[in-house]
Amino acid sequence: MTIQSVGVIGAGQMGNGIAHVFALAGYDVVLTDISAEALDKAMILIGKNLDRQVSKDKISAADREATLGRVRTTVTLAELGQCDLVIEAATERESVKHAIFAELLPHLKPETILASNTSSISITRLASRTDRPERFMGVHFMNPVPVMQLVELIRGIATNEETFSALITVVEKIGKTATRAEDFPAFIVNRILIPMINEAVYTLYEGVGSVKSIDESMKLGANHPMGPLELADFIGLDTCLAIMNVLHDGLADTKYRPCPLLVKYVEAGWLGRKTGRGFYDYAGPEPVPTR
């Protein structure tokens, strides 16, 4: 099963990064989004990230131009139909993902592999709503995609060995390291990471520490490169809450109950860096704690 062309659904922070690494590795990429403006912003960001790689001597200027030349954008989902691999990187809501796959399926080649970049939702359940559960996998990239080395590969109960082997080869070709995770809520990374972030929010909620003291404690006391509340803002508080809800609903364990303060921030639209305000306010030259 040879993969040469890749479709990426969603031009947000994950989708543009996925398009970047595949194009840089030599794949022809079709990037789609419902918003033409989002596609334009994605291409500008890909260019800036490639510039950063050139400045660090990781790639050449010629590599940069060739990479950009391999990415085509479209607002028409059906144009991904002839791709060998299609990776969905839309918002972390299961209903949205089902709707995307339903619209895409009539246009796909029979041999096309479908994948989701979901960070927590059941791969088996997503695959069951398609016409090719045996050629469906979870391919979970870490953020920011061009920098982070890990890709979680998650097989649904119906995923066949040929599909799994093809995706192992793809991950190697784009210069990443694959780890296999079983299809349980939030897989490996987020099963460990997001409850830690949720506990940090509880620590803030209960008045044990301030935003600054919690983040400094984990950076200086546990040698984390980024504090948990700073990291939550980077990921997006809505995404953190969605993953906690998947864990809570899927495992029925009260230890995964989302912190009420996390819920409140999301209700307020304080989602972190992408909205300019979360556990920090990003309006000024330096982030300022909001509590």
Side-chain angles (χ1 to χ4, degrees):
M1 188 178 290
T2 302
I3 294 171
Q4 296 178 315
S5 57
V6 179
V8 180
I9 302 170
Q13 62 181 354
M14 297 305 295
N16 75 69
I18 293 168
H20 173 147
V21 297
F22 273 97
L24 183 58
Y27 291 94
D28 293 320
V29 176
V30 183
L31 177 63
T32 187
D33 197 283
I34 57 173
S35 165
E37 182 183 359
L39 290 168
D40 291 341
K41 288 181 178 178
M43 292 306 298
I44 291 169
L45 184 56
I46 291 171
K48 287 180 178 177
N49 288 335
L50 288 166
D51 287 339
R52 188 176 295 113
Q53 289 178 303
V54 171
S55 69
K56 294 181 178 179
D57 293 324
K58 293 187 175 181
I59 65 171
S60 68
D63 291 333
R64 177 195 185 279
E65 295 310 310
T67 298
L68 288 173
R70 293 189 195 103
V71 183
R72 180 169 67 85
T73 62
T74 178
V75 293
T76 306
L77 189 61
E79 291 188 30
L80 275 63
Q82 293 305 304
C83 293
D84 302 318
L85 167 66
V86 176
I87 302 174
E88 170 273 316
T91 187
E92 191 69 353
R93 291 206 303 272
E94 189 166 345
S95 59
V96 172
K97 297 179 187 297
H98 285 313
I100 287 170
F101 291 133
E103 183 180 345
L104 178 65
L105 286 174
H107 306 285
L108 292 179
K109 299 186 297 184
E111 64 271 22
T112 296
I113 294 175
L114 273 180
S116 175
N117 184 57
T118 178
S119 52
S120 61
I121 297 169
S122 167
I123 298 303
T124 297
R125 197 162 62 239
L126 289 174
S128 72
R129 298 278 291 272
T130 75
D131 63 352
R132 60 196 68 210
E134 72 284 355
R135 291 190 299 283
F136 193 108
M137 276 194 65
V139 183
H140 179 215
F141 289 84
M142 305 297 123
N143 186 33
V145 179
V147 175
M148 302 296 281
Q149 290 301 302
L150 185 72
V151 179
E152 284 184 310
L153 293 182
I154 308 101
R155 297 173 71 161
I157 196 170
T159 307
N160 63 28
E161 190 62 38
E162 185 181 16
T163 299
F164 180 66
S165 296
L167 267 297
I168 286 282
T169 300
V170 164
V171 172
E172 290 174 352
K173 186 172 178 181
I174 63 175
K176 305 291 187 187
T177 299
T179 187
R180 176 176 173 176
E182 294 301 319
D183 187 20
F184 289 98
F187 320 129
I188 295 173
V189 173
N190 285 328
R191 173 77 176 263
I192 297 167
L193 175 64
I194 302 300
M196 183 199 76
I197 288 173
N198 193 55
E199 193 62 29
V201 183
Y202 266 115
T203 305
L204 178 66
Y205 176 62
E206 294 169 3
V208 180
S210 65
V211 169
K212 183 178 179 181
S213 63
I214 290 166
D215 278 351
E216 281 191 348
S217 294
M218 294 308 291
K219 285 191 283 189
L220 302 180
N223 205 28
H224 289 192
M226 190 181 291
L229 301 176
E230 183 185 2
L231 179 57
D233 275 0
F234 181 75
I235 293 169
L237 304 193
D238 53 339
T239 300
C240 292
L241 178 59
I243 295 169
M244 284 307 302
N245 282 328
V246 167
L247 283 164
H248 193 233
D249 295 344
L251 298 173
D253 192 322
T254 55
K255 73 180 181 179
Y256 297 117
R257 183 172 70 99
C259 179
L261 184 60
L262 177 61
V263 175
K264 192 62 66 181
Y265 268 60
V266 173
E267 288 176 342
W270 295 6
L271 307 182
R273 286 178 179 266
K274 61 188 175 184
T275 59
R277 191 176 180 93
F279 292 111
Y280 292 85
D281 188 323
Y282 299 91
E286 295 291 332
V288 177
T290 53
R291 290 179 79 89

